[in-house]
Amino acid sequence: MNTFSIAIHGGAGTLVKGMMTPKLETQYKQALKEALDAGYYLLENGGSAVDAVEKAVTVLEDSPLFNAGKGSVFTATESHEMDACIMEGKTLNAGAVSLITGIKNPISLARDVMEKSEHVFLAGDGAMQFAKELSYKLEDASYFYDAFRHNQWLEIKDTDSFQLDHAKKKDSKFGTVGAVACDQDGNIAAATSTGGMTNKKWGRVGDSPMVGAGNYANNKTCAISCTGSGEFFIRGVVAYDVACLMEHKNMSLADASNEVINKRILEIGGDGGLVAVDSQGHIAMPFNTEGMYRASKSSMGTEEISIYK
Ligand code: ASP
């Protein structure tokens, strides 16, 4: 049996002094553990990597603590526009959605795009039409509401600025969720889901739903889910860059992901991190910010749930 493993994140960023109380820290760690255990349980029982990453991300989407699903940030028009992507390393099949509203679990809609449509990426009204055809129930805006996120938006709503959860400013908060897994057959998968950036306008789409930028999986190399300043992660084609270093330069998962996060993306001004696995079940979770909500567990007996460096 192959070593199986899972790694998840709930966003990376700058932690503002005084914001994190021991009580809040416990809540974050509990939510991470719940997602980790839910994904690991499937792997342990012979489930596929795709099932495990979808499950873990769904648990994180359902928690208001993270900027994905319930608790997503507000756009300039006081709404929620969510993005998600899932990819299977064995087949290179992928599904992604962006600019969707009212969907409780965007990652499941992304999986449906992968499995029930001929396409890879559906956006906006079309993605919503697809959800309607599959009889998705639409949640009311109040389901996604979170007072903290709303206050973040109220502070900047009449300005031209948009705020990344990672911004070094008061009340900056971590965001985006993701999971990567390697199953008992050595197949790997990646899933990422986000509400994007506070006060975003004009149909702004970040790296999270883009295959190769914020999310990627290929059994030959690695499965990656990123979090960070999306504009830079798109330009750095971060997830695929890690895979390329492994494939063409023969680098290990740890070395390749470290090179991209702590050198290549930093050189172009990007901050954030990623979680990664390869088909031998190795795990890497590098970040170049003060912290990243992260957790991992492997059948080799290792388990980690951390926030800071
Ligand atoms: N990468 C996400 C985006 O740019 C944000 C995040 O990771 O928090 O939409």
Side-chain angles (χ1 to χ4, degrees):
M1 196 208 309
N2 205 79
T3 297
F4 55 93
S5 58
I6 180 164
I8 64 172
H9 70 79
T14 305
L15 200 74
V16 176
K17 246 201 159 114
M19 199 201 90
M20 182 58 87
T21 60
K23 191 174 157 216
L24 202 55
E25 189 169 332
T26 306
Q27 283 175 7
Y28 274 111
K29 287 189 170 169
Q30 268 168 0
L32 287 169
K33 181 160 176 49
E34 198 192 319
L36 188 73
D37 287 349
Y40 190 81
Y41 175 83
L42 293 180
L43 296 173
E44 208 172 20
N45 287 285
S48 70
V50 179
D51 284 343
V53 294
E54 181 190 9
K55 181 68 196 173
V57 165
T58 299
V59 173
L60 295 169
E61 286 176 338
D62 290 345
S63 164
L65 294 172
F66 305 103
N67 171 22
K70 190 180 180 70
S72 284
V73 298
F74 285 84
T75 68
T77 55
E78 206 177 0
S79 65
H80 301 284
E81 286 176 354
M82 299 172 288
D83 305 332
C85 180
I86 192 163
M87 187 161 183
E88 193 174 51
K90 182 183 174 187
T91 56
L92 298 187
N93 279 341
V97 289
S98 86
L99 305 171
I100 58 166
T101 50
I103 305 288
K104 183 170 179 271
N105 294 112
I107 200 65
S108 299
L109 187 59
R111 185 168 179 176
D112 279 336
V113 171
M114 174 168 84
E115 292 177 349
K116 298 179 183 159
S117 84
E118 296 295 307
H119 307 296
V120 170
F121 200 152
L122 301 181
D125 290 346
M128 293 306 294
Q129 183 63 33
F130 177 69
K132 201 172 154 199
E133 283 177 24
L134 294 180
S135 305
Y136 269 74
K137 174 176 172 269
L138 290 193
E139 300 294 335
D140 208 68
S142 62
Y143 170 80
F144 299 95
Y145 179 87
D146 175 72
F148 183 92
R149 301 293 184 200
H150 197 242
N151 285 337
Q152 276 184 324
W153 175 72
L154 286 175
E155 271 185 28
I156 56 169
K157 75 181 175 91
D158 292 324
T159 69
D160 266 341
S161 67
F162 49 83
Q163 183 188 325
L164 191 70
D165 266 11
H166 313 264
K168 283 190 180 130
K169 83 181 278 291
K170 186 163 115 354
D171 286 348
S172 110
K173 197 178 173 185
F174 302 63
T176 299
V177 307
V180 290
C182 174
D183 63 27
Q184 293 187 18
D185 295 326
N187 291 318
I188 59 177
T192 308
S193 179
T194 188
M197 301 200 307
T198 299
N199 213 33
K200 61 183 183 179
K201 293 189 200 169
W202 309 306
R204 181 264 181 190
V205 178
D207 60 313
S208 309
M210 294 184 189
V211 171
N215 198 78
Y216 186 69
N218 184 340
N219 274 6
K220 278 207 297 200
T221 51
C222 54
I224 306 271
S225 170
C226 299
T227 175
S229 40
E231 276 63 13
F232 294 93
F233 277 62
I234 293 170
R235 288 151 57 201
V237 203
V238 167
Y240 190 61
D241 203 20
V242 176
C244 283
L245 289 176
M246 292 177 72
E247 185 169 355
H248 305 300
K249 279 191 142 186
N250 241 339
M251 288 173 84
S252 68
L253 181 78
D255 289 348
S257 49
N258 189 44
E259 165 94 9
V260 171
I261 290 300
N262 288 310
K263 189 156 176 277
R264 294 161 80 102
I265 191 75
L266 267 184
E267 280 168 5
I268 63 166
D271 60 344
L274 58 82
V275 291
V277 293
D278 64 17
S279 56
Q280 283 88 55
H282 296 119
I283 296 168
M285 303 193 288
F287 54 96
N288 62 31
T289 47
E290 217 173 275
M292 178 168 81
Y293 289 110
R294 63 196 186 280
S296 67
K297 191 167 179 168
S298 134
S299 59
M300 300 293 275
T302 54
E303 180 170 342
E304 176 185 343
I305 300 178
S306 320
I307 300 175
Y308 312 102
K309 280 234 154 78

